Amino acid sequence: MPTLAQYITFQNLVETGSFTATGIKMNLTQSSISHAISNLENELGLSLFHRTQKQLSLTEEGKIVYRHILKILTAQGALENEIADLKGLLIGTVRIGVLPSVSITFLPSILAYFEKNYPGIKIEVSEGNYDQIEEWLLSRLIDVGFLSATAPLKAEFEELLNDPLVCIISTDHRLAEFTTIEVEQLADERWIMPKRSIDRDVTKLLAKEKIPMKVVYEMEVDQAIISMVAENLGISIMPEMLLSVLPPKIKKLFFKKNYSRTIGIAYLKGIKLSAGAEKFVEITKKIIGK
């Protein structure tokens, strides 16, 4: 029968897409990773990966096996946390989903606090957009997730902070002389927008104010939006948390009316959090200021 170690190796290989990267992540040689996967395939009697020189991808059988292995590893983690709870120990694994804006602002301080004060708690971080984090919560692949209050997910949601939405423009833009503006001044502009799954708060704001949008580019990566705005290809609206460091050719415009998104931490209703996850929620609220 396949071993838990083989399942963990398989999961890491799927996530990294590289034998070398998996070896580095697990502190094992590339040949050890290759051997573990070959043994797993032999045990199952299935080919799990398409192997080419340029990329590694799951076969259809591999995709099915991967879904089941994730469930097994999730259940194993839950068992370990439950045992730790029964023993009254703050040990185990807490799996969190974070938005990019949280990753670059508060998350480093939270992780540093846990490494110093709760070394027995291992925190696994997955960075994603709204849709991904919601899906991970529903699938129980993560214990808690950072989300906006606009998320439709039926979950417990504890507010952490209000993050202002601001307009970014090139210093060559016609509005560059202003510091604050009305949102109506942005009518008929060329827009460079984040995809809805990444930041639906912006779309909601513009729809509420009935601002017509001529979207010329729709991007997944925040830095790509900022770089394109710097070249005066269009304007955008972004959460201020993402704009702590900006290129010289970018200017922030604040709105005269208060527009913001509410960031909070979410977890499924009716599901008892492990002691480690409860501690994570508690410490996060303290660090962020609630």
Side-chain angles (χ1 to χ4, degrees):
M1 288 292 292
T3 65
L4 193 63
Q6 288 174 327
Y7 289 160
I8 293 171
T9 303
F10 177 63
Q11 179 196 21
N12 283 321
L13 183 57
V14 172
E15 291 177 352
T16 64
S18 162
F19 284 94
T20 301
T22 301
I24 294 172
K25 183 176 180 180
M26 300 184 68
N27 197 26
L28 296 170
T29 64
Q30 182 177 334
S31 61
S32 297
I33 301 300
S34 180
H35 185 67
I37 296 302
S38 294
N39 284 345
L40 177 60
E41 290 179 319
N42 290 334
E43 289 276 0
L44 298 176
L46 296 171
S47 177
L48 302 176
F49 290 98
H50 295 297
R51 295 169 172 84
T52 67
Q53 289 185 342
K54 292 186 177 180
Q55 66 179 9
L56 190 70
S57 61
L58 285 170
T59 62
E60 290 303 314
E61 294 85 356
K63 292 176 183 177
I64 294 171
V65 170
Y66 180 55
R67 289 199 298 268
H68 286 283
I69 284 178
L70 282 181
K71 292 178 182 178
I72 291 170
L73 294 177
T74 298
Q76 175 67 21
L79 174 61
E80 291 173 358
N81 287 337
E82 191 70 26
I83 291 172
D85 288 350
L86 291 171
K87 292 180 178 179
L89 302 173
L90 274 175
I91 61 174
T93 300
V94 179
R95 302 155 303 167
I96 67 171
V98 297
L99 300 166
S101 54
V102 175
S103 294
I104 63 176
T105 50
F106 301 107
L107 186 62
S109 297
I110 296 169
L111 296 180
Y113 185 93
F114 270 85
E115 287 196 7
K116 179 180 179 180
N117 297 281
Y118 299 99
I121 297 177
K122 178 185 177 183
I123 299 177
E124 293 184 353
V125 180
S126 297
E127 188 177 80
N129 58 44
Y130 291 154
D131 288 348
Q132 289 172 322
I133 293 174
E134 290 169 16
E135 181 181 346
W136 295 338
L137 274 174
L138 288 171
S139 303
R140 301 190 187 181
L141 297 179
I142 59 174
D143 302 301
V144 298
F146 290 88
L147 285 170
S148 164
T150 57
L153 183 68
K154 294 181 180 179
E156 299 291 346
F157 183 84
E158 300 195 36
E159 293 186 9
L160 296 173
L161 61 94
N162 287 318
D163 183 20
L165 298 175
V166 301
C167 179
I168 57 171
I169 62 172
S170 165
T171 52
D172 295 326
H173 192 274
R174 65 179 181 85
L175 296 175
E177 62 182 285
F178 295 91
T179 302
T180 61
I181 59 169
E182 300 283 359
V183 70
E184 289 78 11
Q185 291 176 257
L186 303 179
D188 302 321
E189 288 288 342
R190 289 163 50 95
W191 290 88
I192 303 172
M193 292 292 292
K195 291 191 173 180
R196 182 182 180 278
S197 62
I198 297 173
D199 207 335
R200 59 175 70 101
D201 301 279
V202 175
T203 305
K204 183 179 178 182
L205 182 162
L206 296 172
K208 180 181 178 181
E209 299 295 340
K210 299 180 180 179
I211 302 300
M213 294 177 59
K214 179 183 177 183
V215 179
V216 291
Y217 300 105
E218 191 175 50
M219 312 299 293
E220 289 189 1
V221 181
D222 298 316
Q223 193 56 49
I225 295 174
I226 293 170
S227 296
M228 295 175 80
V229 170
E231 293 300 324
N232 206 18
L233 293 171
I235 69 169
S236 192
I237 294 177
M238 301 182 76
E240 193 177 19
M241 284 172 63
L242 286 168
L243 304 173
S244 56
V245 179
L246 288 175
K249 292 179 67 177
I250 286 281
K251 181 174 182 179
K252 289 192 292 187
L253 299 180
F254 292 88
F255 293 108
K256 293 179 180 179
K257 188 185 292 186
N258 179 30
Y259 298 113
S260 65
R261 64 172 182 170
T262 300
I263 295 296
I265 195 162
Y267 45 91
L268 289 182
K269 291 182 179 179
I271 302 297
K272 182 182 182 300
L273 291 177
S274 68
E278 287 183 347
K279 182 58 68 173
F280 180 86
V281 172
E282 175 192 333
I283 297 303
T284 295
K285 290 164 67 176
K286 287 182 179 178
I287 288 178
I288 294 183
K290 287 286 183 177

